[in-house]
Amino acid sequence: MNRPVSEGSETERPARMGPWRFVVWFGTVSLLADVVYEGARSITGPLLASLGASSLVVGVVTGAGEAAALGLRLVSGPMADRTRRFWGLAIAGYALTVVSVPLLGVAGALWAACVLVIAERVGKAVRSPAKDTLLSHATAATGRGRGFAVHEALDQVGAIAGPLLVAGVLALTGNDYGPALGVLAAPGIAVLLLLFWLRARVPDPKAYEREATAAVLTPAMPETPNGRLPRAFWTYAAFTAATTTGFATFGVLSYHLVQGHLLTAAWVPVLYAAAMAVDAVAALATGWLYDRIGPRALVVLPVLTAGVVALAFTNTVAIAVAGSLVWGAAMGIQESTLRATVADLVPSGRRATAYGLFAGVVGAASLAGGALTGGLYSYSIPVLITVVVAIQVLAVVLLAVTGVERR
């Protein structure tokens, strides 16, 4: 009896658009989604503060949100590999995100706002392993570093537009968060429409990787015994966890800027947009470098992470703004080159699981990092800087001893 062809199955299907077009269209999906959720994230700190949150609450909630976005991929990643329903999970995750954000604008209680902040991040957890796996197939043909970097650069166009849109509405309404977040419903609808169209055009993106492998007459990466992930993957995840533990969330950065009277709430999204522009440039630069020298390009990440806390938590506007821009550069590397490396380390049959497990490790580090930076910020900024710099030195050592080689 023939097995029916289902979404995301391993049955070979020809791609109905070129790999670069797929990367660009998928980047457009992310662009529109970023208008929605990056617009919201740009004001998370001030929004929670307006509802009575302390710096510790902001740090814990934003850190918990990132932990949910990453840790729950421990479930969604293996689920994607098991069911092969990559498109379905990607669409469901995007749907949860674009629904949560407009509701955040009408949340009148701190607890409700905290739940919605985390729910938006849960949407990212649902979609990301499936989305990254779909994208990894196309980047096998375009070059891992460049493909993920171009996707991230397009992503950041939305990350710039969203905060600027929110900033404009805040300025027009006298810092009313309801309308500022309500306008983000329109790009959310566009996200879902474009996803359904793209799934119809390319139901089986794995065809890109099959064709790329055949074109260079290179055998596919062999599966590891008993389906276990390669050892290099785990040592690489340890490096990423270490550097993420010292990475401050923008929620804590924006809390410092507003509560320290360095910037008004309306200017924080503008700064966030500028950080996202730096994010895009950093992604493109490190993506190009990665395709030339491999994971060694990642040594810059711990340096940037240490630079964030050394600069962003000062009481001088220009230096604090510079620290926020350095934060954007580090984010660009985290969101592009880190993911490209996973695709080069793990065979395609286990790749969504690897993305889920990798994100789970980083999620635990994000929760620790959010609580660490939020808590130490209240206690002593010099102690915060010292601790984060020490963690980043450890991260550099871990990167040096992993022995990760690009495949």
Side-chain angles (χ1 to χ4, degrees), residues 19-374:
W20 270 119
R21 286 189 62 200
F22 181 82
V23 169
V24 170
W25 276 116
F26 222 142
T28 304
V29 169
S30 291
L31 184 159
L32 292 168
D34 270 40
V35 171
V36 178
Y37 70 80
E38 297 290 15
R41 290 179 75 199
S42 71
I43 57 170
T44 296
L47 171 62
L48 295 179
S50 73
L51 295 171
S54 66
S55 65
L56 178 59
V57 169
V58 173
V60 170
V61 169
T62 54
E66 293 309 308
L70 296 166
L72 291 179
R73 299 182 209 185
L74 290 167
V75 176
S76 62
M79 181 185 299
D81 274 337
R82 184 174 63 254
T83 65
R84 316 307 294 171
R85 294 190 174 275
F86 300 110
W87 278 118
L89 287 167
I91 292 170
Y94 276 113
L96 179 57
T97 288
V98 301
V99 168
S100 297
V101 167
L103 292 178
L104 182 61
V106 296
L110 178 59
W111 70 266
C114 292
V115 168
L116 288 168
V117 167
I118 295 173
E120 182 273 309
R121 297 282 82 192
V122 170
K124 188 173 181 66
V126 172
R127 70 178 179 264
S128 289
K131 181 200 73 173
D132 287 343
T133 301
L134 293 170
L135 185 61
S136 74
H137 295 319
T139 60
T142 64
R144 299 284 191 207
R146 286 172 294 176
F148 274 97
V150 168
H151 178 272
E152 173 67 8
L154 288 168
D155 187 87
Q156 294 318 300
V157 173
I160 294 168
L164 290 178
L165 176 60
V166 168
V169 177
L170 285 174
L172 289 173
T173 61
N175 293 331
D176 188 341
Y177 293 108
L181 294 171
V183 298
L184 302 177
I189 294 171
V191 166
L192 299 179
L193 293 176
L194 185 54
L195 277 169
F196 282 113
W197 173 80
L198 193 57
R199 181 179 66 171
R201 292 282 298 174
V202 188
D204 179 26
K206 192 174 181 181
Y208 294 126
E209 191 159 351
R210 289 193 297 265
E211 292 164 5
T213 300
V216 296
L217 301 177
T218 300
M221 187 186 304
E223 297 287 343
T224 52
N226 300 319
R228 286 194 288 261
L229 296 171
R231 179 176 298 178
F233 164 80
W234 292 109
T235 53
Y236 175 69
F239 151 73
T240 309
T243 194
T244 304
T245 298
F247 192 63
T249 66
F250 192 79
V252 177
L253 267 61
S254 60
Y255 182 95
H256 171 73
L257 292 167
V258 174
Q259 298 301 111
H261 305 291
L262 300 177
L263 293 178
T264 65
W267 275 104
V268 169
V270 177
L271 176 59
Y272 189 84
M276 292 301 96
V278 175
D279 177 316
V281 173
L284 290 170
T286 55
W288 175 84
L289 189 61
Y290 175 83
D291 282 342
R292 293 179 64 86
I293 68 172
R296 287 176 296 169
L298 292 170
V299 71
V300 70
L301 183 56
V303 176
L304 293 175
T305 300
V308 170
V309 293
L311 299 172
F313 293 123
T314 64
N315 292 319
T316 303
V317 174
I319 298 176
V321 166
S324 296
L325 297 180
V326 173
W327 178 89
M331 279 295 295
I333 300 170
Q334 288 186 358
E335 294 293 327
S336 60
T337 313
L338 288 182
R339 291 153 55 207
T341 305
V342 172
D344 271 333
L345 288 173
V346 180
S348 63
R350 295 280 290 165
R351 200 168 291 159
T353 297
Y355 276 120
L357 291 171
F358 178 76
V361 171
V362 179
S366 294
L367 178 57
L372 176 75
T373 56

